[in-house]
Amino acid sequence: MTNTATVNADRTENSVVLDQLNQLESEAIYIFREVAGQFERPALLFSGGKDSVLMLHLALRAFAPGRPPLTLLHVDTGHNFPEVLTFRDEVAERYGLRLEVASVQDYIDDGRLSERPDGTRNPLQTVPLLDAIADHKFDAVFGGGRRDEEKARAKERVFSLRDSFGGWDPRRQRPELWDLYNGRHAPGEHVRVFPLSNWTELDVWRWIAREQVELPSLYYAHERELFARDGMWLAPGEWGGPKEGEPTETRTVRYRTVGDMSCTGAVESVAATPEDVITELAATRVTERGATRADDRLSEAAMEDRKKEGYF
């Protein structure tokens, strides 16, 4: 007769117990492989920022030793941080991946888009993004939305159906019971895919620290010339800052996100390593976008309105 206690002990000893990071990694890898099995032309939105770098490394792990079956896609506002663009290009070349860049500046130059009075180009990314998806016939597009970000992103499904105009309708969100993902879509439609849906900013940094992932230097403390506007520290640039009456000063800062320079603020920090950043984040009560993204302050529903039009 078998001793029940002995059997249970053997099961515990032989089972694989995943910690939180391993569970998140395993889920994301499963999502990447699901997309590879259901779609023909996937793309990964890759700006060189930490979330897109994390997604790329998860994709590399998901399909190792082969090359990930996807294209990198970046919508360049023309006001991105130069060091981040350099990092983006180096990473794409390092892993031998195709990089497609949709330029907001090109659309402004030929009259398809017009500059906004506030100088920010983040809302102008929608049209170049949708055109790039249509031109290259991408049927699945990976995005880096996380559950602790702006509330419109937090309520997104992992597989998010977009209509033939690229628009997002919350009422068309599909149930994803038992981690079953439905990639079915009509001609002209596509699906946005969010493998980091259950991650937080702190999870991202813990994984980066554990795996020793390289990031652009802006994510760590450095001295930078800045000026204050609307309660944020912004970097001078061709986008239109600073204005008269906005003196610059040098401060030790880092960036929690590295989007358009016109709406991405720096935070004062001495965090020089991933471990330092983790310690800093553990003590903060302000979200990444709430602390550093001016475009999310336009209205309470600013992000959701843009998503319905086809934004990330």
Side-chain angles (χ1 to χ4, degrees), residues 22-307:
N22 287 335
Q23 290 177 1
L24 292 171
E25 176 188 307
S26 178
E27 177 188 52
I29 287 175
Y30 167 67
I31 292 167
F32 273 105
R33 290 172 177 168
E34 277 292 295
V35 169
Q38 295 190 46
F39 297 89
E40 295 181 358
R41 298 179 65 86
L44 188 153
L45 291 171
F46 187 77
S47 64
K50 67 182 186 308
D51 297 326
S52 61
V53 170
L54 168 61
M55 286 197 298
L56 174 56
H57 279 269
L58 290 169
L60 291 167
R61 186 159 297 184
F63 301 105
R67 185 179 301 172
L70 50 80
T71 298
L72 302 183
L73 172 62
H74 182 217
V75 182
D76 183 0
T77 67
H79 293 161
N80 293 91
F81 292 91
E83 48 266 67
V84 178
L85 295 181
T86 298
F87 179 86
R88 176 202 69 186
D89 295 341
E90 291 174 348
V91 168
E93 183 177 0
R94 181 184 309 158
Y95 296 110
L97 295 172
R98 175 183 165 200
L99 172 65
E100 295 290 345
V101 179
S103 171
V104 172
Q105 186 64 57
D106 288 347
Y107 279 68
I108 293 173
D109 291 343
D110 64 21
R112 285 177 288 176
L113 290 174
S114 300
E115 292 277 19
R116 292 167 51 91
D118 59 9
T120 182
R121 290 184 176 179
N122 255 22
L124 302 183
Q125 292 176 289
T126 300
V127 174
L129 170 64
L130 295 179
D131 284 353
I133 291 172
D135 292 344
H136 297 288
K137 295 181 172 59
F138 295 132
D139 51 3
V141 181
F142 289 100
R146 305 188 316 267
R147 68 180 175 88
D148 64 335
E149 289 192 285
E150 197 275 342
K151 58 187 178 183
R153 285 185 166 177
K155 70 182 183 183
E156 186 97 63
R157 293 285 195 268
V158 175
F159 274 32
S160 177
L161 180 66
R162 301 301 174 104
D163 62 27
S164 56
F165 298 100
W168 174 68
D169 185 349
R171 296 169 298 181
R172 298 185 68 194
Q173 296 287 290
R174 296 164 171 170
E176 295 178 338
L177 304 176
W178 306 293
D179 294 333
L180 296 175
Y181 301 117
N182 181 1
R184 186 172 53 193
H185 59 286
E189 296 180 335
H190 69 277
V191 174
R192 304 283 173 90
V193 183
F194 300 96
L196 307 184
S197 290
N198 288 321
W199 295 61
T200 66
E201 183 183 9
L202 191 56
D203 293 330
V204 171
W205 276 103
R206 288 175 58 218
W207 199 90
I208 286 170
R210 188 184 75 177
E211 303 297 328
Q212 299 182 336
V213 175
E214 182 185 0
L215 291 178
S217 59
L218 273 72
Y219 281 109
Y220 304 107
H222 60 286
E223 286 193 349
R224 199 173 194 92
E225 186 181 13
L226 303 163
F227 66 94
R229 178 182 294 175
D230 297 329
M232 301 177 65
W233 289 108
L234 300 176
E238 297 180 359
W239 58 269
K243 298 177 181 177
E244 185 176 353
E246 294 179 329
T248 61
E249 54 184 285
T250 301
R251 289 180 172 263
T252 301
V253 298
R254 72 176 192 87
Y255 286 87
R256 291 175 69 178
T257 181
V258 291
D260 191 297
M261 295 174 67
S262 65
C263 62
T264 304
V267 295
E268 295 191 75
S269 172
V270 294
T273 66
E275 291 75 17
D276 293 340
V277 173
I278 291 170
T279 300
E280 182 180 274
L281 289 178
T284 187
R285 293 296 178 267
V286 182
T287 65
E288 171 187 334
R289 297 188 69 89
T292 66
R293 296 300 291 269
D295 54 332
D296 284 348
R297 304 179 183 183
L298 296 175
S299 74
E300 186 176 350
M303 175 62 75
E304 184 157 340
D305 291 341
R306 278 179 282 158
K307 283 170 64 66

